Amino acid sequence: MIIPKLALKNILGAGLRTWLNAFVLSLSFVLIIFSQGLLEGMNTQAEEAMIAAEIGGGHYQHAAYDPYDPLSLADAHGALPAPLAVMVSAGKAAPVLVIQGTIYPQGRLIAVQVKGIDPDQTVLNLPTAFLSAAQAGDEIPVLIGERMAALSGLKRGDTVTLQWRDARGTFDARDTVVVQVMKTSVQSIDRGQIWVPLERLREMTGMPGEATFVVLAQGAVRPADSAAGGWRFSGQDDFLADIRAMVESKSVGSSVFYAILLALAMLAIFDTQVLAIFHRRREMGTLMALGFTRGKVIALFTLEGMLNGVLAALVAAVYGIPLLSWVARTGWALPGDTDSYGFAIGERLFPSYSLGLVTGTTLLVLLTTTVVSFLPTRRIARLKPTDALRGRMT
Amino acid sequence: MRHRIPLCLPAVAAIGLAAAVLAAPAQAPDGAAVLRRVDQNMGADNKVTTSEMIIRGRRGSRTVTSKSWIQGRAKSFTEYLDPPRERGTKMLKLEDQLWTYTPASDRTILISGHMLRQSVMGSDLSYEDMMEDQRLVALYDAVVAGEERVGDRPCWVLDLSSRGAEIAYYKRKIWVDQERDVILREARFAKSGKLLKTTDVRNVERMKDRWVSTRVVFKDALKDGEGTEFIVKAMEFNAAIPDHLFTKASLR
Amino acid sequence: MIRFLLKGLLRDRSRSLLPFITVMLGSALTVIGFSWTNGAMSSMIESGARFSTGHVKVMSRAYAKEADQAPNDLALAGAGSLLAGLAREYPNLDWTPRIAFGGLIDVPDAQGETRVQGPVAGLAVNLRDPGSPERGLLNLDKAVVRGRLPERPGEILLSDGFAARLGIGPGATATLISATMYGSLVVQNFVVAGTVRFGIAVMDRGAMIADIDDMRGALDMADSAGEILGFFRDSPYRRDEAASLAAGFNSARHGDGGEFAPRMVSLHEQSGLAQTLDFAAQVYSLMLVFFILVMSIVLWNAGLMSSLRRYGEFGIRLALGEDHGRLYRSLIAEGTIVGFLGSAAGTALGLAVSYYLQNTGFDLGSMLKNASVIVTDVLRARVTPASYVIGFVPGLAATFLGKAVSGIGIYRRETSRLAKEFEG
């Protein structure tokens, strides 16, 4: 037990030097946790936004529906299988009917997907309530996203002609009025599409009770596939695969950054150790004369170095916890939308520090500190106590 | 010949009303009968036509020339002659199916589903528009809504509404020349009543014993643009067309 | 005096070597760290730039308005002379024409009848010209999954998943059904030379890459291009330069009012990328501040310690009659020399490593399962002019400060005590 006590005494006795090292190391600590937390926060936020506004607990899709093939839409509609219909009436799922259409803003022609959704639905975090607002005349209320608004030049209150075909292939066209331009970070519910009330779309197309896909509420228990009447289930993981792959490639890049950062901090530890060993050879000699084996001396010095890591963790906790939790609470204001890579995040970014992240980083820092502290001590192994006592290195 | 009553003269309104009551039901023929006469004028015989399509786009216009062999209403075979790029492209319509053949690829492709909705050669007409069975009488209920002049020609104005078949246009309005039994103007409407496409006949010629519209302008009413002009250069009636022309083998 | 100090530094390795190495490594790490974050940020920009936006892009004004829909009827005419003009006017950029198109891929059976069809998003680029940058831009050599890149006219690449779904592979015939820029139906046969992975689901479901000459023929777009992309040669995106380039190009053609007149837009003006970049810049500049802070403290610490362990020597020198000020100044001069040399060596080392990481990159190929057209698999550092000073300044300043602070001890402590520390 003498070694840990001695190590602690030594390191605290060194005063300023120790605290500087600990502070440097703690900065690396905090920075790694912070930036990793920011990255994770960005990912979780993007995933959460997509889940809230688009994915829900996953989609049941009509057998003919291929989300990547707009041409499949003509046939991709049908009555809901019974278990899904039950979920819909229980408010645990929201049906969406999708058809192809064309809008004509200022004589231009823009192909769009027309998505019908129940204005009163609560499954997705969409401002569909605007669609239920009573409309004068028989203009169809339409909800669009900011990107669609920018693309088409439409704004709230504008009227635009929509042309579509009903279930029998007969053309129909009506004026629609943009009741709201929604600000959403999820571009897959925005670009190239317009949202209309579900019942209105069913009536417009002659597809009563039909849908193209059904969004399950988060946490809703999905019916057995056999009961889904050929409708295909696409879960959250399927929707999120793309951004997860992108995150994977990004995280390797940031690991390199952390490695450099850590290397910088380790330089300080290494430096300290080398100096300490050089400076304190007489002390080593004394310890050996008092009966310490070389191994014990090495253990003492390694432990002292390692304690730098422990102190750093403590220092990091002192200012890091309040700082990081403050940022996690208030978030980081973003300059506008940051979703052009399909990353759906809002206007503020909230870092998320997982337990795994914090303990992982702590272990990593402690481990590297220990290794780096140990490396210079190997010189001690060659030390002759007699030389050491006289202050000489062998 | 009856003229429109100027509505700004209330004094004569009563007379006008009386005239309308007298004129419309009494003189106007049955809508179906008008359509039948139109069909009759067009005839169900074999025809060979050479025509030009002038397509006006944002970058100027281009002209596509083609020759068509038509048997009755169900079968037609079209070969494009000009511009050089389109030469040798052929299209075969058999009932409700449409194939196209391009010499460059030596492939025969069935144009189906959504592809029928694509524009033909960049024109304001879709393949579907071209495929349409001309016998309106079979698809629509026709009501004579009144009389109007198109240019200097007196016309019956017919309101057509779908009988519920799977057709692109729910309602149409056509102006039929009272004497010549040719359609001089047409408007196609969405179910909601919104105007989608217009057709204007600019020229009608007497060929053999029939009247043929030889210059027609089609236009998508929702889109900016000048529309597509269709000009019949020559038309041969009762032509002898070998049956094998209307087979997929003849496309190659 | 400097010569004397240099001699001392050179002869007493413990006085010079360790601080020198520390400063060198610290500076080098700062340079590498800085260049690496730069590289990470530009790789984020570059993958989008390479695939779709370019550093700058020239389109017709009408096309630019509807660029999302790839309206080839509004494409740039006279692309050849426009391209030549751009190359002449902006010789420090690589210019490459592209055509985006859509359609169906139709696979025939033995009788030439349609066996299977699928919708396709296409990109026509200059594939066969040996001077073309496209193979590198689209990471094609690595993204190939089956077969090879097109070499002969009429050869195309399909996304691998798409080809699998159609049940075809290299060597198969695929017919593209599309429309010319005038709207005529196009039915054109191609031979699948190989399949590629794009790295984003929507493209992997149905996309093709064809040679631009083939597609000009197919789409009746002789001497036309949907867009012309410009890339700073051998250099990543430079925001201000791209913006001024575009502004200059457009104002020079201000009088040319036609809707088909060319218009240049910078990467920033396209598809909301601007905000992404601003955000990334914020994050990275914060990281950089931290980085330099950490580095400064490390070096300061090093300077501090190298002085502390020489208190004994100072005691003797004071005892021999050197006055405090002279000793202090000599200490600082020593620190400055070590700092200068260490920072210089560190910057050189850091730049060497950074340049290596910039040119060769850090290949993730083995770590990521899949190389693809869009998601880059080689991470690179990026050396900027700032890389040359970012390690040098804190290296020098920190050593200087470290010595200055630790040297105060010379004044504070008694000569006898310093000498005693020497005794041990």
Side-chain angles (χ1 to χ4, degrees):
Chain A
M1 267 321 281
I2 184 132
I3 292 177
K5 266 188 206 161
L6 202 56
L8 192 64
K9 224 178 102 188
N10 283 341
I11 190 167
L12 291 178
L16 180 65
R17 236 186 319 169
T18 301
W19 293 111
L20 260 180
N21 275 335
F23 182 63
V24 167
L25 204 49
S26 76
L27 270 182
S28 312
F29 228 116
V30 171
L31 187 54
I32 289 174
I33 292 178
F34 175 70
S35 52
Q36 190 62 36
L38 206 60
L39 213 63
E40 264 180 35
M42 189 158 122
N43 299 335
T44 17
Q45 223 168 313
E47 291 193 359
E48 276 168 9
M50 281 180 71
I51 288 170
E54 185 193 5
I55 307 170
H59 291 188
Y60 266 100
Q61 297 166 341
H62 187 270
Y65 178 53
D66 177 353
Y68 297 105
D69 179 4
L71 307 177
S72 74
L73 283 174
D75 304 313
H77 55 88
L80 303 185
L84 292 179
V86 170
M87 291 181 76
V88 170
S89 43
K92 290 201 180 312
V96 177
L97 178 62
V98 191
I99 63 161
Q100 289 239 74
T102 311
I103 56 169
Y104 294 85
Q106 296 113 41
R108 276 162 62 205
L109 173 157
I110 300 177
V112 292
Q113 287 192 9
V114 187
K115 292 186 169 173
I117 189 164
D118 179 6
D120 302 322
Q121 63 83 28
T122 52
V123 171
L124 291 179
N125 180 21
L126 286 178
T128 49
F130 285 101
L131 294 173
S132 64
Q135 290 302 311
D138 54 7
E139 286 175 336
I140 302 163
V142 158
L143 176 68
I144 58 174
E146 277 183 316
R147 295 169 199 79
M148 187 66 204
L151 176 78
S152 59
L154 290 170
K155 34 182 214 305
R156 187 180 167 167
D158 280 358
T159 303
V160 65
T161 303
L162 167 68
Q163 182 187 285
W164 72 94
R165 283 165 179 261
D166 69 11
R168 314 183 61 97
T170 302
F171 275 118
D172 207 347
R174 254 176 221 278
D175 283 341
T176 62
V177 59
V178 179
V179 288
Q180 181 68 18
V181 174
M182 62 179 169
K183 198 174 172 66
T184 171
S185 56
V186 185
Q187 58 173 337
S188 43
I189 57 158
D190 177 343
R191 220 172 259 281
Q193 51 201 287
I194 64 174
W195 294 84
V196 300
L198 177 64
E199 282 312 318
R200 193 75 186 259
L201 186 62
R202 284 171 166 172
E203 175 199 318
M204 281 157 59
T205 53
M207 302 176 185
E210 297 193 358
T212 303
F213 60 86
V214 176
V215 188
L216 302 192
Q218 285 181 64
V221 184
R222 41 181 284 226
D225 279 340
S226 55
W231 288 49
R232 215 171 339 97
F233 184 72
S234 208
Q236 293 181 343
D237 292 344
D238 300 325
F239 284 92
L240 298 171
D242 261 9
I243 68 165
R244 284 183 180 161
M246 206 172 289
V247 167
E248 190 188 355
S249 83
K250 280 208 168 59
S251 66
V252 180
S254 33
S255 311
V256 174
F257 176 77
Y258 303 146
I260 297 173
L261 200 65
L262 211 54
L264 202 52
M266 287 310 137
L267 194 59
I269 302 290
F270 189 80
D271 207 16
T272 313
Q273 282 294 91
V274 171
L275 276 171
I277 287 160
F278 182 80
H279 198 55
R280 287 162 60 190
R281 15 187 223 285
R282 242 171 254 180
E283 183 190 331
M284 292 178 207
T286 314
L287 287 172
M288 283 176 176
L290 287 173
F292 266 55
T293 57
R294 288 196 181 84
K296 278 190 174 168
V297 178
I298 290 176
L300 173 70
F301 277 77
T302 308
L303 191 64
E304 278 185 31
M306 200 188 115
L307 280 176
N308 277 306
V310 177
L311 277 184
L314 293 175
V315 173
V318 168
Y319 69 93
I321 290 176
L323 184 73
L324 297 193
S325 54
W326 175 72
V327 181
R329 262 198 323 277
T330 45
W332 183 329
L334 295 181
D337 298 325
T338 31
D339 62 358
S340 41
Y341 279 83
F343 275 98
I345 41 185
E347 282 156 23
R348 295 192 87 79
L349 193 59
F350 296 92
S352 102
Y353 320 106
S354 62
L355 188 66
L357 169 65
V358 176
T359 50
T361 315
T362 311
L363 285 177
L364 180 72
V365 171
L366 285 183
L367 188 72
T368 25
T369 316
T370 310
V371 171
V372 168
S373 306
F374 169 72
L375 288 178
T377 60
R378 284 176 310 171
R379 285 188 82 168
I380 299 172
R382 298 195 304 259
L383 194 68
K384 279 188 196 153
T386 43
D387 286 339
L389 270 171
R390 267 181 276 146
R392 276 193 209 144
M393 270 292 178
T394 328
Chain B
M1 187 106 335
R2 207 166 49 84
H3 292 275
R4 271 175 174 242
I5 299 150
L7 292 174
C8 54
L9 295 174
V12 293
I15 306 166
L17 190 63
V21 168
L22 286 173
Q27 296 185 349
D30 170 42
V34 175
L35 285 185
R36 269 194 298 274
R37 285 216 299 276
V38 170
D39 280 347
Q40 214 167 19
N41 176 61
M42 271 200 270
D45 54 341
N46 293 353
K47 293 189 233 14
V48 179
T49 66
T50 307
S51 54
E52 268 179 18
M53 190 157 69
I54 302 171
I55 300 153
R56 297 196 171 82
R58 283 164 81 170
R59 300 198 110 133
S61 67
R62 59 187 202 121
T63 304
V64 178
T65 312
S66 62
K67 187 169 183 180
S68 298
W69 291 260
I70 302 159
Q71 187 179 78
R73 294 195 168 85
K75 298 176 182 177
S76 74
F77 182 94
T78 302
E79 179 169 2
Y80 288 89
L81 307 174
D82 198 66
R85 200 193 146 82
E86 314 290 354
R87 189 176 302 143
T89 298
K90 294 166 193 159
M91 265 190 241
L92 172 67
K93 174 198 162 183
L94 296 176
E95 304 294 342
D96 56 352
Q97 289 197 295
L98 184 67
W99 283 274
T100 181
Y101 171 83
T102 49
S105 67
D106 191 29
R107 287 214 45 198
T108 303
I109 303 276
L110 174 68
I111 298 190
S112 59
H114 72 94
M115 273 177 70
L116 284 168
R117 301 176 181 184
Q118 301 291 313
S119 123
V120 179
M121 302 269 163
S123 69
D124 280 32
L125 280 165
S126 67
Y127 289 102
E128 201 174 38
D129 288 338
M130 285 196 23
M131 290 277 292
E132 199 178 50
D133 192 317
Q134 291 296 306
R135 270 175 313 167
L136 296 172
V137 70
L139 300 171
Y140 292 94
D141 285 324
V143 173
V144 176
E147 292 177 63
E148 262 177 43
R149 276 175 177 274
V150 174
D152 60 349
R153 304 294 307 166
C155 291
W156 298 116
V157 182
L158 270 68
D159 279 338
L160 310 186
S161 51
S162 164
R163 294 213 180 117
E166 298 210 352
I167 47 172
Y169 303 99
Y170 192 73
K171 286 180 204 158
R172 296 171 183 236
K173 197 180 192 99
I174 57 174
W175 286 255
V176 179
D177 189 310
Q178 288 183 347
E179 289 167 12
R180 297 171 175 175
D181 297 329
V182 285
I183 297 172
L184 293 186
R185 182 184 290 167
E186 178 177 354
R188 302 178 188 190
F189 297 92
K191 248 170 144 177
S192 64
K194 203 167 214 14
L195 178 63
L196 298 178
K197 284 191 177 167
T198 60
T199 306
D200 275 297
V201 174
R202 302 274 165 88
N203 193 36
V204 176
E205 283 176 37
R206 185 76 175 170
M207 291 185 180
K208 290 274 178 76
D209 53 346
R210 301 179 209 183
W211 290 98
V212 178
S213 36
T214 53
R215 212 159 77 88
V216 185
V217 175
F218 296 95
K219 197 178 156 346
D220 186 331
L222 294 176
K223 207 170 69 177
D224 285 345
E226 294 169 63
T228 299
E229 194 167 334
F230 201 80
I231 299 170
V232 176
K233 294 303 233 188
M235 187 176 276
E236 186 189 336
F237 296 103
N238 293 312
I241 303 173
D243 267 351
H244 73 78
L245 193 65
F246 300 110
T247 60
K248 274 169 71 184
S250 66
L251 283 167
R252 291 196 166 198
Chain C
M1 159 135 163
I2 288 181
R3 190 185 290 175
F4 168 76
L5 288 176
L6 271 175
K7 258 185 193 161
L9 286 170
L10 287 175
R11 287 181 186 164
D12 179 1
R13 281 204 312 148
S14 73
R15 182 165 9 152
S16 56
L17 195 62
L18 191 65
F20 174 80
I21 289 175
T22 310
V23 173
M24 182 180 79
L25 287 179
S27 305
L29 283 173
T30 307
V31 173
I32 299 167
F34 174 76
S35 305
W36 184 260
T37 37
N38 262 337
M41 183 163 159
S42 51
S43 104
M44 196 165 141
I45 302 170
E46 297 300 324
S47 58
R50 289 180 298 113
F51 187 66
S52 70
T53 63
H55 292 155
V56 292
K57 189 197 265 186
V58 179
M59 296 170 277
S60 79
R61 289 175 195 181
Y63 186 103
K65 268 190 199 159
E66 294 169 34
D68 269 25
Q69 313 202 33
N72 281 328
D73 53 325
L74 310 176
L76 290 164
S81 61
L82 182 57
L83 207 54
L86 286 167
R88 208 171 38 244
E89 208 174 331
Y90 308 101
N92 57 338
L93 274 82
D94 282 322
W95 297 97
T96 182
R98 288 188 183 172
I99 296 171
F101 57 93
L104 290 173
I105 286 288
D106 180 297
V107 180
D109 61 14
Q111 282 74 46
E113 300 278 334
T114 298
R115 181 166 63 78
V116 57
Q117 276 185 349
V120 69
L123 187 64
V125 303
N126 189 345
L127 277 181
R128 293 200 299 264
D129 184 350
S132 161
E134 295 285 9
R135 286 169 82 122
L137 290 172
L138 297 176
N139 196 24
L140 290 180
D141 290 296
K142 285 190 166 175
V144 168
V145 181
R146 291 186 280 161
R148 54 168 174 79
L149 297 183
E151 288 158 8
R152 288 186 289 275
E155 292 186 332
I156 56 165
L157 296 168
L158 285 184
S159 44
D160 191 57
F162 186 41
R165 223 153 38 91
L166 295 173
I168 56 174
T173 297
T175 307
L176 171 71
I177 303 175
S178 183
T180 67
M181 77 183 283
Y182 304 103
S184 287
L185 185 75
V186 169
V187 180
Q188 178 96 17
N189 291 336
F190 288 99
V191 173
V192 179
T195 65
V196 288
R197 188 175 289 109
F198 282 87
I200 52 171
V202 65
M203 298 298 282
D204 283 323
R205 287 287 299 200
M208 67 180 272
I209 295 178
D211 182 73
I212 194 162
D213 283 336
D214 290 346
M215 286 315 295
R216 279 174 171 156
L219 302 180
D220 202 2
M221 292 179 72
D223 201 26
S224 294
E227 27 194 71
I228 296 176
L229 273 57
F231 295 89
F232 292 115
R233 185 167 303 140
D234 302 328
S235 135
Y237 180 61
R238 292 193 295 273
R239 180 180 181 162
D240 298 336
E241 203 175 326
S244 71
L245 212 68
F249 181 90
N250 295 333
S251 72
R253 280 154 192 82
H254 188 66
D256 189 353
E259 62 173 345
F260 296 106
R263 187 185 139 75
M264 192 187 287
V265 290
S266 73
L267 180 150
H268 259 81
E269 295 168 73
Q270 300 174 54
S271 55
L273 206 58
Q275 288 86 8
T276 311
L277 300 185
D278 291 346
F279 167 63
Q282 273 188 4
V283 172
Y284 286 128
S285 52
L286 181 91
M287 285 190 176
L288 214 62
V289 168
F290 268 100
F291 208 91
I292 292 172
L293 189 67
V294 169
M295 148 85 178
S296 306
I297 294 175
V298 167
L299 294 183
W300 180 34
N301 192 4
L304 201 60
M305 270 180 307
S306 66
S307 302
L308 288 178
R309 71 183 189 86
R310 286 170 59 198
Y311 279 173
E313 177 200 330
F314 300 154
I316 292 177
R317 283 169 71 175
L318 287 171
L320 288 175
E322 267 190 66
D323 67 274
H324 284 77
R326 187 185 143 90
L327 187 58
Y328 186 61
R329 281 192 299 277
S330 83
L331 186 64
I332 287 182
E334 244 183 65
T336 312
I337 292 171
V338 169
F340 182 84
L341 294 177
S343 301
T347 301
L349 177 66
L351 284 174
V353 175
S354 301
Y355 270 116
Y356 174 79
L357 287 175
Q358 173 172 295
N359 297 328
T360 311
F362 185 70
D363 196 338
L364 296 181
S366 50
M367 294 191 191
L368 289 179
K369 292 179 292 290
N370 312 318
S372 67
V373 173
I374 295 166
V375 179
T376 178
D377 62 339
V378 180
L379 299 177
R380 291 175 192 282
R382 178 187 168 192
V383 179
T384 61
S387 303
Y388 284 80
V389 290
I390 200 86
F392 195 85
V393 172
L396 190 57
T399 327
F400 178 85
L401 276 177
K403 291 281 182 189
V405 171
S406 60
I408 295 170
I410 296 169
Y411 289 100
R412 279 214 307 251
R413 298 188 189 197
E414 296 299 317
T415 309
S416 57
R417 191 170 144 65
L418 283 168
K420 195 159 176 261
E421 280 189 23
F422 175 66
E423 287 298 312

